[in-house]
Amino acid sequence: MQILVSIDDTDNLDSRGTGALASLLADALEERSWGKSSFVTRHQLLLHQDIPYTSHNSAMCFAADIQPHLLDTVIEYASAFLAGESAAGSDPGLCVAAIDCLKNRNLLLTFGNRAKQEVVTMAEAHAVAKEAGCHLSSHGGSGQGVIGALAGAGLRLGGNDGRLKGSLRMPAAAGRVSVAELMGCAEVDEIRTVSGEPLDGTEQVRLGDKVKTVMLAGKSVLLLEPVSGTGEIRWQTCAKQRLKCY
């Protein structure tokens, strides 16, 4: 069974971030042999004066493959985890969506996109979760985090939003590596230019300080941009600022 686990609003300015908790939760599922977790993605939501958030208003989501009879166990564990690990003053929310069991997939997709463009309410989030057929719960504070948690699940389900949490780490001689070597990273499904063209495996790439993939068509995609000038290396990884639109 493929599930999406999405959380939001678990931190304060002095605590671990929500991304760190999402990674711990993903690891916990594997450590207990409940399933196989994938990478965590960060989904940027609307920044607005009427929306309370700690620093960036982004939700964190990961996919996992579990046995169907373990769904309730995972939800119970994740709920207790958020209740125990979220920071003081936070408003943690949890969404768990079993993809093949969704009653209305489009509702979840639409809610995710709405949360990037307009202010939505907790009542709307709970109503959408009920009709779409996914778990949504709050675990402290005002419960405001349910909005981001549900939106994060919808955006990850859509497969065309978000950036990989953290950055890729790989040895590179003099800061350069081939496309083929980059494809050897477990977190990389595909490499293409920012204009969508595939590259030959022998092409050399200049690595930036933080190498991140983005989610496109359901894949973890490493985007490359041209290097200015006429040197031997023609491509480089995109700077964080360039990836902010994903």
Side-chain angles (χ1 to χ4, degrees):
M1 170 184 278
Q2 287 284 334
I3 64 171
L4 298 174
V5 180
S6 179
I7 64 175
D8 189 27
D9 210 342
T10 69
D11 58 358
N12 61 38
L13 290 175
D14 299 317
S15 73
R16 294 173 295 183
T18 298
L21 291 195
S23 293
L24 289 173
L25 193 50
D27 291 343
L29 265 62
E30 295 196 350
E31 290 165 0
R32 286 158 178 74
S33 300
W34 291 342
K36 177 69 176 174
S37 301
S38 75
F39 50 83
V40 176
T41 45
R42 172 190 184 278
H43 301 275
Q44 181 63 56
L45 307 176
L46 179 67
L47 299 177
H48 190 279
Q49 60 185 5
D50 293 337
I51 300 175
Y53 57 87
T54 305
S55 58
H56 299 100
N57 196 28
S58 55
M60 297 287 176
C61 185
F62 65 90
D65 188 1
I66 66 169
Q67 293 298 315
H69 71 277
L70 291 174
L71 179 60
D72 289 341
T73 300
V74 169
I75 291 173
E76 289 173 10
Y77 178 84
S79 298
F81 178 86
L82 287 192
E85 299 295 332
S86 296
S90 64
D91 308 303
L94 167 70
C95 178
V96 180
I99 295 175
D100 290 338
C101 299
L102 287 172
K103 295 185 289 188
N104 192 328
R105 181 187 178 102
N106 287 336
L107 268 183
L108 189 54
L109 294 170
T110 300
F111 187 86
N113 288 319
R114 283 185 61 202
K116 292 180 75 73
Q117 301 169 26
E118 60 185 278
V119 178
V120 290
T121 67
M122 286 192 288
E124 288 177 286
H126 283 294
V128 168
K130 183 176 181 180
E131 193 166 347
C134 55
H135 170 87
L136 185 67
S137 54
S138 60
H139 300 280
S142 69
Q144 186 80 16
V146 295
I147 296 173
L150 187 68
L155 291 166
R156 179 76 179 247
L157 179 66
N160 285 299
D161 184 274
R163 306 193 296 272
L164 180 80
K165 171 189 167 288
S167 55
L168 302 181
R169 298 181 184 276
M170 66 176 305
R176 59 188 285 179
V177 67
S178 71
V179 168
E181 289 172 308
L182 282 169
M183 278 302 299
C185 292
E187 299 90 345
V188 177
D189 295 325
E190 184 177 328
I191 298 174
R192 66 174 84 159
T193 70
V194 289
S195 57
E197 301 156 345
L199 291 172
D200 187 88
T202 60
E203 285 277 2
Q204 294 292 303
V205 178
R206 181 184 298 164
L207 299 181
D209 291 336
K210 290 187 177 180
V211 181
K212 288 178 173 287
T213 62
V214 299
M215 178 145 281
L216 293 171
K219 298 179 181 179
S220 175
V221 179
L222 181 63
L223 295 176
L224 303 178
E225 59 184 358
V227 173
S228 59
T230 57
E232 178 187 358
I233 300 178
R234 300 193 304 152
W235 300 97
Q236 62 186 356
T237 54
C238 295
K240 183 178 178 181
Q241 190 67 28
R242 179 71 182 261
L243 299 178
K244 278 196 168 182
C245 59
Y246 292 92

